[in-house]
Amino acid sequence: MTRSRGAMSAFGLTKEEIRRQIHLPWSEAFRISWRYVTIRLGRSLVTASTIFLSVAFLMAVCTMILAAKATGHAEEDPQAFAATLARYKWSVILGFMICATGIVSALLMSVTERFREIGTMKCLGALDGFIVRMFLIEASLMGLFGSLAGAIVGALLMLLWAGIKEGFSIWAKIPWGIKTPTGEWGFLGYFLASVFAGVVLSVISAILPAYRAAKLQAADALRTEI
Amino acid sequence: MEQMMPSGEMQERMQEAAKKLEPMMEQVSEFIVRTRDVHKVYLMGKVEVHALRGVTLDIKRGEYISIMGPSGSGKSTLFNMIGGLDKPTSGSVYINEVDLAQLDAYELAWLRCRTIGYIFQTFNLIPVMTALENVMLPMIFAGVPEDERRDRAMELLKRVGLAERWNHKPFELSGGQQQRVAIARALANDPAIILADEPTGNLDLRTGKEIIELLKELNEEKGVTIISATHDLKMIDVSDRVIWIRDGQISRIEDRSKIRVEAALEVEEALMEGELPDIP
């Protein structure tokens, strides 16, 4: 019985049918990626820490803007404020670029480490797309957690610092919502945007490593040494 | 439809169909793997390495085949060709009479998923998954529903004698146990062929023997064709045929009846040449 099933299937199916029968389930890819992130927590934390730092910095700058507006410092000397902002903007961009490099190299390392597992999965019938999906999900998970932690810590530190310097009463003047009534960004808006930026950054950084992983040959699984 | 047909006509049609299908079925069922004049040339730097020099081979359904040969003989290359892991420079490989060169990426994945089960020297279990999840993995790619996946994986683990270890991670299992999980995983989608690359290479004598016995049992009870690249002489006892590869060519093929004598001679010959394969 089992024999003839294997034999006939290679014959009687059209390409479309075969395509439909090869599954690329998101839920399974997510489950496997989640495993990789949580089990290799140390490595994931190192990768996530670069995202953490750059998002923390971004969120700190955003909070600083809000605090400066709340205390009225921003209106006292608009030119100086604008110059400071410009300086910070470049620091944030530079930070993000360094962060992206960090993620790319960490993930490339992880591809090299896992060449045999990736090859094995391909031997078991995984398509390139599944491998790509796994790596992108992994990167977005690390991006999400790194960014969340970074945004919280960055905001808290800056809020504390502003509170100590200007008095905690300014907290009441900070617009906490997504947008202010006048249409400017509020705290929650900056927070969500920072997290989003972190996730997007890590997913973009993961594209090259994921592609590299997908292009590994199934035969690599059989290699006994690296 | 069929019920409305007069029984005489139906019978006639069935006979017709049977007549048409019979030769095809026969052809299909006899050889599971055929290779025709397979050559493989690698480019190592600027040097061309001729790994295979015209290998023609027919493997019958349900056979237990050992491919033997010293390292560098082209054994692994041939093995990769049969498994659809690598393409020949010239010549063709047929599995179920399907030319592998004609298959696109999807079809190759499909073939690897359902027609072939792989067993590796280094076991290659996915380290972040439990034994059960490792066995379930190929079924995920085949689109088997979760409940069925779990039941079937458990059944397979029971078959290889590891049911009570289902929740262990690979690093919590011994080498022999890991290889058993790998065998269960290879059987997950009921493949027609199991390709085993040095399955006992990383195991001690006794464990290696157990694994060989398990493979032989599965070969007999499921009728699965087993093709094993090895230089473990323990394999000879269970093999239906042994294919000796030397310098990228088949140096000879031995049938079961002759095997024992020939194997002894081979050891002797190897001893004289000073290149002894590992002695069990």
Side-chain angles (χ1 to χ4, degrees):
Chain A
M1 281 296 284
T2 51
R3 279 196 257 171
S4 65
R5 195 175 106 190
M8 293 315 288
S9 49
F11 273 99
L13 293 173
T14 65
K15 289 196 179 204
E16 264 317 299
E17 279 173 308
I18 284 179
R19 226 150 271 199
R20 246 184 289 123
Q21 282 186 43
I22 296 172
H23 278 240
L24 280 176
W26 276 101
S27 58
E28 294 300 336
F30 185 86
R31 211 185 295 183
I32 295 169
S33 307
W34 176 261
R35 278 293 173 75
Y36 272 113
V37 172
T38 49
I39 285 179
R40 303 186 181 185
L41 196 61
R43 171 169 293 275
S44 309
L45 283 179
V46 172
T47 315
S49 66
T50 63
I51 308 166
F52 170 85
L53 286 175
S54 36
V55 172
F57 185 50
L58 171 64
M59 192 57 206
V61 171
C62 294
T63 315
M64 190 206 73
I65 295 171
L66 289 176
K69 283 179 181 164
T71 52
H73 289 327
E75 279 88 46
E76 279 166 25
D77 189 352
Q79 269 185 337
F81 183 65
T84 314
L85 269 192
R87 232 184 8 255
Y88 279 131
K89 190 172 88 187
W90 283 109
S91 310
V92 167
I93 290 172
L94 198 65
F96 267 58
M97 279 163 67
I98 294 169
C99 168
T101 324
I103 300 170
V104 171
S105 73
L107 285 178
L108 278 179
M109 183 77 100
S110 141
V111 170
T112 318
E113 247 172 31
R114 276 148 64 175
F115 79 95
R116 191 178 290 152
E117 290 161 46
I118 295 164
T120 307
M121 285 200 181
K122 288 188 140 190
C123 280
L124 301 180
L127 282 168
D128 292 4
F130 189 85
I131 310 286
V132 168
R133 198 169 281 188
M134 245 173 51
F135 271 85
L136 291 186
I137 292 174
E138 233 179 281
S140 55
L141 280 174
M142 288 189 290
L144 182 66
F145 291 120
S147 307
L148 269 178
I152 291 169
V153 170
L156 275 181
L157 283 180
M158 192 46 86
L159 282 172
L160 277 178
W161 191 68
I164 291 165
K165 213 174 139 208
E166 309 284 344
F168 285 94
S169 57
I170 65 154
W171 283 19
K173 291 187 213 152
I174 288 177
W176 293 104
I178 291 178
K179 291 235 164 162
T180 62
T182 53
E184 288 175 347
W185 288 76
F187 180 83
L188 190 59
Y190 277 130
F191 186 89
L192 293 177
S194 302
V195 172
F196 183 71
V199 174
V200 168
L201 179 78
S202 52
V203 171
I204 289 175
S205 312
I207 290 174
L208 173 73
Y211 181 77
R212 270 276 289 277
K215 286 297 155 219
L216 280 178
Q217 294 300 309
D220 289 338
L222 299 159
R223 276 155 59 198
T224 38
E225 75 292 326
I226 299 172
Chain B
M1 279 284 282
E2 283 146 339
Q3 282 158 356
M4 281 161 66
M5 231 182 263
S7 62
E9 194 186 335
M10 197 174 116
Q11 231 164 21
E12 216 169 287
R13 283 205 179 187
M14 296 245 296
Q15 274 167 358
E16 245 176 53
K19 230 180 261 169
K20 233 186 259 174
L21 282 173
E22 215 166 291
M24 201 167 108
M25 291 295 287
E26 228 162 63
Q27 188 197 7
V28 168
S29 58
E30 193 179 6
F31 295 111
I32 184 82
V33 177
R34 296 195 301 132
T35 70
R36 285 291 168 271
D37 198 29
V38 170
H39 286 260
K40 181 69 185 181
V41 182
Y42 287 113
L43 215 55
M44 285 186 98
K46 281 183 181 161
V47 188
E48 280 192 352
V49 180
H50 220 126
L52 290 179
R53 304 159 183 271
V55 173
T56 296
L57 184 64
D58 292 316
I59 296 175
K60 281 193 205 104
R61 205 167 281 277
E63 264 191 312
Y64 193 124
I65 298 277
S66 290
I67 302 175
M68 297 223 174
S71 49
S73 58
K75 182 177 50 169
S76 310
T77 312
L78 176 63
F79 187 81
N80 288 353
M81 300 288 163
I82 296 173
L85 302 177
D86 203 348
K87 291 201 165 159
T89 313
S90 70
S92 344
V93 177
Y94 302 89
I95 292 196
N96 273 337
E97 304 300 322
V98 176
D99 187 355
L100 290 192
Q102 308 295 323
L103 302 183
D104 64 16
Y106 287 93
E107 291 162 325
L108 268 178
W110 192 92
L111 184 91
R112 286 176 196 150
C113 186
R114 292 157 193 261
T115 312
I116 303 175
Y118 298 86
I119 297 171
F120 308 92
Q121 178 176 2
T122 45
F123 321 132
N124 290 13
L125 299 179
I126 308 297
V128 299
M129 296 183 183
T130 63
L132 186 74
E133 287 166 332
N134 264 288
V135 181
M136 282 162 64
L137 189 61
M139 293 188 252
I140 292 177
F141 299 134
V144 178
E146 169 133 27
D147 290 341
E148 201 184 321
R149 229 154 55 202
R150 198 166 288 276
D151 292 347
R152 199 165 148 56
M154 208 59 206
E155 204 178 283
L156 285 166
L157 279 179
K158 212 176 281 170
R159 176 61 194 87
V160 300
L162 276 178
E164 74 287 359
R165 296 244 161 196
W166 65 273
N167 204 15
H168 287 247
K169 294 267 165 60
F171 62 85
E172 297 164 332
L173 300 169
S174 71
Q177 288 171 333
Q178 286 189 50
Q179 196 62 302
R180 280 166 189 276
V181 176
I183 291 173
R185 183 178 65 181
L187 289 168
N189 289 327
D190 244 328
I193 308 168
I194 284 188
L195 277 178
D197 181 47
E198 305 272 3
T200 58
N202 279 14
L203 299 174
D204 64 55
L205 191 72
R206 203 169 60 93
T207 320
K209 218 169 192 168
E210 282 167 15
I211 292 296
I212 292 171
E213 271 158 24
L214 177 62
L215 284 175
K216 183 64 186 171
E217 282 167 29
L218 293 167
N219 168 242
E220 280 168 356
E221 87 193 37
K222 292 185 189 277
V224 59
T225 312
I226 295 186
I227 303 169
S228 164
T230 184
H231 49 256
D232 185 345
L233 292 175
K234 293 193 290 295
M235 279 282 193
I236 290 179
D237 280 345
V238 295
S239 303
D240 295 323
R241 283 194 296 161
V242 179
I243 294 162
W244 297 86
I245 303 271
R246 187 155 287 191
D247 297 326
Q249 285 172 318
I250 295 177
S251 65
R252 68 175 182 282
I253 300 179
E254 294 167 338
D255 279 333
R256 191 185 190 109
S257 49
K258 290 193 198 160
I259 278 169
R260 303 205 64 138
V261 189
E262 296 276 346
L265 287 175
E266 177 72 17
V267 175
E268 219 165 60
E269 187 187 316
L271 268 169
M272 307 231 313
E273 284 174 17
E275 47 173 58
L276 186 64
D278 59 0
I279 286 186

